[in-house]
Amino acid sequence: MLTLLIFIIILGLLIFVHEFGHFLAARRAGVEVEEFGFGFPPRLFATKKIKGTVYSLNLLPLGGFVKIRGEGGEEKENPKSFASKKISWRVLILSAGVLMNLVLGIALLSAGFALGLPTAVGDEEAFGNAKVQISFLEKDSPAEEAGIKIGDQILALKSVRGETSEISKVSEVQNFVAENKGGEVILTLRRGQEVFSLKTTPRELSPEGQGPLGVALARVVLVSYPLDQAIWLGVKETFQLLILIFSALGALIWGVFSNGQLVADVAGPVGIFSITGQAAQMGFIYLLQLTALLSINLAVINILPFPALDGGRIFFLILEKIKGSPVSLKVEQAVHAAGFSLLILLMIVITLRDVARLF
């Protein structure tokens, strides 16, 4: 239940911030926002109009929505209608949600750097609070079969001969495992606030590219910075993540068109729910980092020139600018409807695959 609550809060925050961006930009452009909804219908409560806007509280706490006058192309003669505004204003209103998600990402990462974000460091670097974490887990590996999870911290290792080694460096784990291939070892792990032990047997012969346990390791330390440096690092990290996400999307699109398959790392709501549970077990700072990543990812997805997304609607405004007149409203609506249907189909496929992974 706690994971579900955290998932709803994170998802609600991301969508609410996105819609709040549209709201602010519309109001700034002089466009009437007919309703700003907290959550999704059915409606529980609504205010009277305040400066032309009804504020509503709705049953499903998964974000929010804005209903903008003239958003569908109607009321072009009304100065308070979206359709009456210059293309530059309409582009700003449509892109404001994306900009707000980027701002949220920067703010969360900046707060993380100020509080202390987990940072990978080398074995040779002197840190008293460094921990060795599982950063990747091979499928069907000894580590996965033993119940080890990504994010687990390795505190100590013990062999059947009774030899115990406390762990603070990646090389210490690698050397211990190499010396005990084929024999049972006991790992003392920390997962969130829980400390426990698991038994496993490192493989004597490993598949190519995998180690005896089938894990990747990282030496991690929490590093905090003064506020001015933290803000700069938040901005820098956000743009680095933008590059990584766009690169990953390029690989995804290439995979779909080259062999008709989705890459393995794409996750839908079920996959994100699972990742949220893992981050919650690891601690608040990891949830902060995950929320920032999801916010930046949401910005990237929404700015893509795909029908039904903000970027798709901006694309039609660019076409309008080029040709000097709007694209047929019926054509645009049909294209967005087809794009929306395709997005729903893609979400169903990804969700089914996420469920298959879990079970």
Side-chain angles (χ1 to χ4, degrees):
M1 278 301 293
L2 179 59
T3 298
L4 179 60
L5 178 61
I6 293 171
F7 176 73
I8 290 174
I9 290 173
I10 290 175
L11 185 60
L13 173 66
L14 299 183
I15 300 174
F16 175 78
V17 165
H18 182 91
E19 297 300 335
F20 189 59
H22 293 311
F23 172 81
L24 289 179
R27 293 289 290 266
R28 182 68 181 85
V31 174
E32 183 177 330
V33 180
E34 296 177 333
E35 183 176 356
F36 190 127
F38 297 80
F40 293 120
R43 180 184 287 182
L44 296 176
F45 168 80
T47 67
K48 294 181 179 181
K49 281 193 174 184
I50 303 173
K51 294 185 178 180
T53 302
V54 171
Y55 296 88
S56 63
L57 178 64
N58 300 278
L59 181 62
L60 302 177
L62 297 176
F65 66 91
V66 289
K67 184 180 179 183
I68 297 175
R69 180 176 293 279
E71 194 172 4
E74 64 276 8
E75 299 188 50
K76 290 186 178 180
E77 302 305 318
N78 186 340
K80 293 185 177 181
S81 168
F82 175 85
S84 72
K85 298 301 178 182
K86 293 180 180 180
I87 289 178
S88 57
W89 273 116
R90 283 181 278 164
V91 169
L92 177 61
I93 292 169
L94 291 174
S95 61
V98 167
L99 294 175
M100 281 296 287
N101 279 127
L102 290 179
V103 169
L104 176 62
I106 291 171
L108 292 176
L109 287 173
S110 297
F113 280 114
L115 294 171
L117 278 181
T119 304
V121 296
D123 279 358
E124 70 283 355
E125 297 182 71
F127 287 98
N129 61 343
K131 304 294 182 183
V132 176
Q133 283 189 332
I134 307 295
S135 60
F136 181 77
L137 202 61
E138 294 286 355
K139 188 173 178 59
D140 299 324
S141 63
E144 184 187 57
E145 292 174 356
I148 295 172
K149 294 184 178 181
I150 293 174
D152 286 351
Q153 294 179 1
I154 303 177
L155 303 180
L157 293 167
K158 184 177 181 179
S159 69
V160 290
R161 299 188 298 272
E163 299 170 341
T164 301
S165 176
E166 294 187 358
I167 300 301
S168 62
K169 297 180 179 180
V170 171
S171 59
E172 293 170 347
V173 178
Q174 294 171 333
N175 294 337
F176 187 93
V177 170
E179 293 171 0
N180 290 276
K181 290 181 182 179
E184 188 176 73
V185 297
I186 300 172
L187 295 88
T188 302
L189 305 171
R190 174 181 284 120
R191 182 179 300 161
Q193 301 301 315
E194 183 184 5
V195 176
F196 57 96
S197 296
L198 292 175
K199 295 179 181 179
T200 187
T201 301
R203 297 174 292 207
E204 295 190 72
L205 296 175
S206 307
E208 186 176 353
Q210 299 185 25
L213 287 179
V215 298
L217 302 171
R219 187 168 181 252
V220 176
V221 63
L222 294 179
V223 181
S224 59
Y225 298 87
L227 184 59
D228 57 334
Q229 292 184 39
I231 293 172
W232 161 242
L233 288 170
V235 173
K236 181 180 177 182
E237 182 73 7
T238 296
F239 282 94
Q240 288 177 339
L241 286 171
L242 279 173
I243 294 171
L244 287 174
I245 293 169
F246 274 116
S247 298
L249 277 173
L252 167 64
I253 294 169
W254 173 257
V256 169
F257 284 99
S258 62
N259 55 33
Q261 294 182 347
L262 290 170
V263 294
D265 292 334
V266 177
V270 174
I272 295 173
F273 175 80
S274 177
I275 294 169
T276 301
Q278 295 175 18
Q281 289 181 330
M282 294 165 67
F284 170 76
I285 202 68
Y286 290 89
L287 278 173
L288 193 74
Q289 199 171 28
L290 173 63
T291 306
L293 176 59
L294 291 175
S295 188
I296 297 166
N297 191 71
L298 182 61
V300 171
I301 295 297
N302 268 284
I303 203 60
L304 294 178
F306 190 86
L309 299 176
D310 293 336
R313 298 182 66 193
I314 291 171
F315 178 74
F316 274 94
L317 291 180
I318 294 172
L319 290 180
E320 178 181 334
K321 183 69 174 178
I322 293 172
K323 68 191 289 287
S325 62
V327 177
S328 166
L329 186 57
K330 288 184 178 180
V331 171
E332 182 175 352
Q333 288 175 341
V335 171
H336 287 316
F340 182 75
S341 298
L342 185 57
L343 285 174
I344 294 298
L345 178 61
L346 181 62
M347 186 62 66
I348 291 172
V349 171
I350 294 173
T351 299
L352 289 174
R353 193 178 66 174
D354 286 343
V355 172
R357 283 177 182 170
L358 292 175
F359 300 101

